[in-house]
Amino acid sequence: QPVSSNKPRKKKKKRKTKKASAGDTLEDNDLEDIDSLLEKIEDTNGLSQQTQSGGIADSRPLLYVEHRNLNPENELKRYFGARAVLGDQRPRQRQRQYVRSTWLTAPKNTWPRYSKTGIAMQLVESRRGVQYFTFEHHREYQQVQFKFLDAVESMDPNNIVLLLQMNPYHVDSLLQLSDVCRMQEDQEMARDLIERALYSLECAFHPVFSLTSGSCRLDYRRPENRAFYLALFKHLMFLEKRGCPRTALEFCKLILSLDPENDPLCVLLLIDFLALRAREYGFLTRMFQEWESHRNLSQLPNFAFSVPLAYFFLSQQEERSELELSQARERAARLIQLALIMFPSVLMPLLDHCSVQADARVTSHAFFGLNAQISQPPALNQLTSLYVGRTHSLWKDPAVMAWLETNVHEVLSKVDARDPLVEECEHKRKMRYQSAPRNIYRHVILSELKEATAALPLEVTSQPVMGFDPLPPLDSIISYTRPERTNHPSNESTLSLFFRSLLPNFNLQGDIRHDGDEEAGAGQDLNQGVNRLMAAMRDMLANIQFQEPPRDDNPDGDADWD
C-alpha cells in the first residue's frame, strides 16, 4: 500500500516538469509502468488461483464468464506486451468520437454508422432463478430478411453485398457474406463481418440480459436466436486461429451457458481442446468432476482423452506439492487407460497424425488394429475423427508420448489377462453411438475439419446447408413466415420468362399482392425491379458491338489454314 500511495505523487511531480523534459516520452513510460503493474497483478492472481486449486474460481459458477477475458487484446498483451499490440492507438483514442461501449467486440471506425436495425430482445419468462430471453424481428427487419432469402436463392453473393449496402447491420447477411470471404481466403474481412454482426446483436440486448451470470437462456429453436449462437461460434473459431485460446474458451463458456442442457452447437466437443490450449487445466478437471454424474462426459471420446491429458500436465507443474503431483499422476494413468479400453480406435489415427510409429507389440495386437476402426458404429467414428483431427497437435510432446506408450502397454496387459472391463466397454460401444444427434452434425459442419466432415452420413451431406442456419432444428418455433411468391408458369409468355431469368423477383403481368399495408411496398418493389431491369437492358444493348466480317482483300487465297 505505501508503494501504491507514493507512486501518484511521483507521477504528478514528473508531469509538472514534463514541459521542460523531452516531449511525450515521459508519458509513454508512465503508461508502460501502469501496464506492467497490471500484468504483475494478473500474474499474481493467476498464480494464487492455481496454487489453491482454483480457490477463488471454485466459489463462482462453472460457466461464469469474465468480461476482461472476452477481449482478445488483453490476452495478446500478456503474450507480446501492450506496446506491441496497441501501438500508437492511445493518443488517438482521447480525441475519438463517442461510441457505444460493448463487451463482445469493439466497434471500428471503418464500420458504417450504426442505427437501429429492427432487432430487439424480450424477456419471455423467469423460472427458478433462470431468465429466458428471445430476439425479435420488427416489421422492417422482416422485410429485409425476406430480401435476404431471395438473395440467397439467387446464388449470387453480389446480391447480398447490395443488400448490405442498404442495411449494413443485417445479421444473417453478415454471417453469409463472411463465409463467402473465408472461402475466398479473405480472412480479415470474414472476421470483421462476424464482429459487426456481434456488435449489432449486442446493441439489441435487453437491459437485464447478462453475459456473465450464466443464468440467461436463449432457445435455439427460435430462428431469431440462432444468429447469436452462430456469430459467437464463428467468432471463437477466428480467435482460436488468431492465437487467443483463452479468449476463445471464454466465448465457448458463454455459448454453453445460453443452453447448457441442449447445447445446440455441441460446444462440449470443443471446450476441452480450448481449455488445454489455454492451459486452463483446473477448469477442465473441475468441469469433468461436476458434470460427469449427470452428463456422462466420459462417454465422449474428447473428454475421455483430454481430461487425463490435463491431469498429466498438472502433474508436471513443479510449484505444486508432492501430494498433489502424485494424485494427478495417479488420476491421469487411471483415466487414460480407461479411455484406451473404451475407445481403442483413437490410438492408431492419433499416432499417424503425430507421425509416430508404434512398436511391434502394439501394431501386431488385434485390440488396436484395423478392426478397431472398422467395427465401431458410424456415430462413434464421427466423434473419434473429430477429436483426432482437432487435438492431435497437443499429443506431439515427447513427454506426453512416453507417458501414453507406458499406459498403452498397461492396457494390452489387461486385454491379454481378459479383464472383464474390456468386454464391458465393447458391449457399451455396440449398444450406444448408433446414430448421432442433430447438434453433433451441426458442430461438425461448423468446425469444417476434413477428417470429421468425411465421416458425415449421406442424409446430412445430400441436403443443402446454409451458413446462416445450418441444419435447423426439426421442432423450430416460427414466429413469422415468408410470404409465398406467386408463380404463373402456364400463362407466362416467353418474354416474361426471359425477364424472370434476369431478375427472379420480376413479374411481367404486374400481379401485386393486396395485403392491406403491404400493397404500397409491393408496388414500389415492382417499380424498382422494372426500372433496374430496363436500365440493365439499356446498358447491355448500348455495349453490344458487332464484329465486322473479314474483308476478302486477297482473292488469290494465300491465307494459312489451321
Side-chain angles (χ1 to χ4, degrees):
Q1 286 181 350
V3 175
S4 61
S5 62
N6 288 336
K7 267 203 167 183
R9 292 177 186 174
K10 289 180 182 178
K11 287 178 183 175
K12 284 181 182 177
K13 287 179 182 177
K14 286 181 181 178
R15 281 175 184 161
K16 285 178 183 176
T17 58
K18 199 178 98 172
K19 292 182 180 177
S21 63
D24 296 332
T25 55
L26 218 57
E27 186 180 359
D28 290 342
N29 290 334
D30 288 345
L31 290 171
E32 286 181 351
D33 290 343
I34 294 169
D35 284 334
S36 62
L37 189 63
L38 287 172
E39 286 177 7
K40 286 179 183 176
I41 293 171
E42 285 181 3
D43 290 342
T44 53
N45 285 343
L47 189 62
S48 66
Q49 285 182 13
Q50 284 183 358
T51 52
Q52 296 170 12
S53 300
I56 301 172
D58 282 351
S59 62
R60 298 170 176 172
L62 178 70
L63 299 179
Y64 177 82
V65 176
E66 293 188 68
H67 278 142
R68 68 189 179 97
N69 287 333
L70 292 173
N71 186 355
E73 283 189 356
N74 292 335
E75 184 173 4
L76 292 172
K77 278 193 285 187
R78 284 198 294 271
Y79 297 149
F80 305 110
R83 185 64 56 194
V85 175
L86 297 178
D88 55 351
Q89 289 181 20
R90 285 196 182 102
R92 293 178 186 170
Q93 285 181 351
R94 290 170 186 164
Q95 286 90 26
R96 67 173 185 163
Q97 59 180 358
Y98 172 77
V99 292
R100 180 171 180 169
S101 177
T102 50
W103 292 112
L104 296 178
T105 178
K108 299 178 182 177
N109 296 329
T110 56
W111 290 356
R113 185 176 181 85
Y114 179 79
S115 59
K116 288 192 175 182
T117 58
I119 301 182
M121 182 186 272
Q122 298 297 329
L123 175 62
V124 180
E125 61 175 338
S126 297
R127 245 188 2 248
R128 296 176 183 174
V130 177
Q131 296 167 315
Y132 295 84
F133 294 86
T134 182
F135 284 99
E136 289 185 346
H137 293 171
H138 294 163
R139 187 178 183 81
E140 61 271 17
Y141 194 91
Q142 293 179 18
Q143 299 301 319
V144 179
Q145 189 74 8
F146 299 150
K147 293 177 183 177
F148 164 73
L149 295 174
D150 290 341
V152 170
E153 288 181 358
S154 71
M155 305 295 288
D156 186 359
N158 293 320
N159 292 335
I160 302 178
V161 174
L162 292 173
L163 184 64
L164 272 177
Q165 289 175 352
M166 300 297 295
N167 308 274
Y169 287 94
H170 181 253
V171 178
D172 283 351
S173 297
L174 293 167
L175 295 178
Q176 190 73 18
L177 195 60
S178 173
D179 285 349
V180 174
C181 293
R182 196 163 40 79
M183 291 173 187
Q184 296 175 350
E185 302 297 329
D186 191 352
Q187 302 291 335
E188 190 67 30
M189 177 58 72
R191 192 175 75 204
D192 189 78
L193 292 170
I194 293 297
E195 291 179 2
R196 207 200 300 180
L198 278 176
Y199 178 72
S200 175
L201 289 165
E202 188 172 1
C203 288
F205 278 179
H206 191 277
V208 187
F209 184 80
S210 170
L211 293 170
T212 59
S213 66
S215 60
C216 295
R217 304 284 184 264
L218 282 175
D219 194 344
Y220 193 81
R221 293 176 300 170
R222 296 181 180 271
E224 297 91 339
N225 295 338
R226 292 174 203 161
F228 188 52
Y229 279 92
L230 296 169
L232 288 172
F233 189 92
K234 292 172 187 286
H235 185 57
L236 80 84
M237 296 299 285
F238 280 120
L239 288 170
E240 192 272 326
K241 291 175 184 175
R242 192 181 170 190
C244 301
R246 182 66 187 85
T247 312
L249 174 63
E250 210 70 13
F251 274 92
C252 197
K253 287 158 63 177
L254 173 58
I255 296 174
L256 190 56
S257 71
L258 295 175
D259 193 352
E261 294 301 321
N262 299 310
D263 191 13
L265 298 187
C266 212
V267 293
L268 276 178
L269 299 178
L270 172 67
I271 197 167
D272 61 298
F273 168 66
L274 296 175
L276 289 173
R277 277 213 58 201
R279 300 182 181 180
E280 292 289 325
Y281 310 127
F283 167 78
L284 182 56
T285 54
R286 180 191 170 196
M287 185 176 194
F288 183 74
Q289 290 168 5
E290 292 186 11
W291 284 30
E292 167 63 14
S293 59
H294 67 284
R295 296 296 290 268
N296 288 328
L297 295 183
S298 60
Q299 300 307 302
L300 294 172
N302 58 310
F303 271 93
F305 280 88
S306 292
V307 172
L309 187 60
Y311 276 119
F312 172 76
F313 286 133
L314 286 174
S315 70
Q316 304 296 304
Q317 295 180 348
E318 297 178 354
E319 66 270 11
R320 293 181 174 272
S321 67
E322 188 57 39
L323 177 63
E324 289 177 331
L325 294 178
S326 63
Q327 286 178 347
R329 281 193 294 268
E330 181 185 344
R331 288 175 183 170
R334 179 171 52 83
L335 290 173
I336 191 63
Q337 291 176 25
L338 185 61
L340 288 167
I341 293 173
M342 185 67 198
F343 306 107
S345 61
V346 171
L347 179 65
M348 298 312 289
L350 183 62
L351 295 179
D352 289 340
H353 276 74
C354 296
S355 302
V356 173
Q357 179 66 40
D359 57 25
R361 185 189 178 195
V362 177
T363 53
S364 61
H365 205 288
F367 187 71
F368 292 117
L370 188 62
N371 189 48
Q373 278 89 32
I374 298 174
S375 62
Q376 67 180 356
L380 182 56
N381 187 32
Q382 289 148 20
L383 292 174
T384 55
S385 302
L386 185 70
Y387 178 72
V388 171
R390 175 174 280 150
T391 59
H392 62 87
S393 59
L394 299 172
W395 294 82
K396 288 185 176 180
D397 186 10
V400 173
M401 274 296 160
W403 165 73
L404 179 63
E405 181 184 11
T406 303
N407 287 285
V408 166
H409 285 288
E410 288 287 334
V411 168
L412 288 180
S413 300
K414 290 183 179 181
V415 172
D416 293 337
R418 298 190 180 279
D419 192 316
L421 180 63
V422 177
E423 188 177 349
E424 180 186 341
C425 289
E426 184 181 358
H427 179 68
K428 285 181 181 177
R429 281 198 304 275
K430 290 180 179 178
M431 296 299 294
R432 302 170 182 173
Y433 313 108
Q434 293 303 316
S435 62
R438 201 170 176 84
N439 60 340
I440 289 182
Y441 293 147
R442 199 178 293 127
H443 177 90
V444 170
I445 290 170
L446 289 170
S447 300
E448 295 183 347
L449 284 165
K450 61 175 186 274
E451 294 88 353
T453 51
L456 284 173
L458 186 62
E459 63 264 20
V460 176
T461 55
S462 60
Q463 57 180 300
V465 176
M466 297 299 177
F468 66 95
D469 190 9
L471 296 184
L474 301 176
D475 56 346
S476 297
I477 302 173
I478 306 297
S479 57
Y480 66 93
T481 55
R482 182 183 178 190
E484 294 184 5
R485 293 161 65 180
T486 55
N487 292 320
H488 304 283
S490 58
N491 299 328
E492 284 188 335
S493 62
T494 306
L495 185 62
S496 175
L497 290 171
F498 171 68
F499 282 166
R500 189 180 290 275
S501 68
L502 294 177
L503 191 69
N505 290 332
F506 177 69
N507 189 354
L508 188 66
Q509 271 107 27
D511 284 336
I512 305 172
R513 293 186 307 274
H514 296 278
D515 292 339
D517 295 336
E518 292 184 2
E519 182 178 357
Q524 186 178 2
D525 287 345
L526 178 67
N527 292 333
Q528 290 177 355
V530 173
N531 291 336
R532 283 202 305 271
L533 179 62
M534 296 309 294
M537 293 292 291
R538 280 196 297 269
D539 187 43
M540 183 176 69
L541 292 172
N543 292 327
I544 289 179
Q545 295 180 354
F546 294 96
Q547 186 176 3
E548 295 182 2
R551 290 189 304 234
D552 194 5
D553 293 335
N554 190 3
D556 296 330
D558 294 335
D560 294 333
W561 289 82
D562 292 334

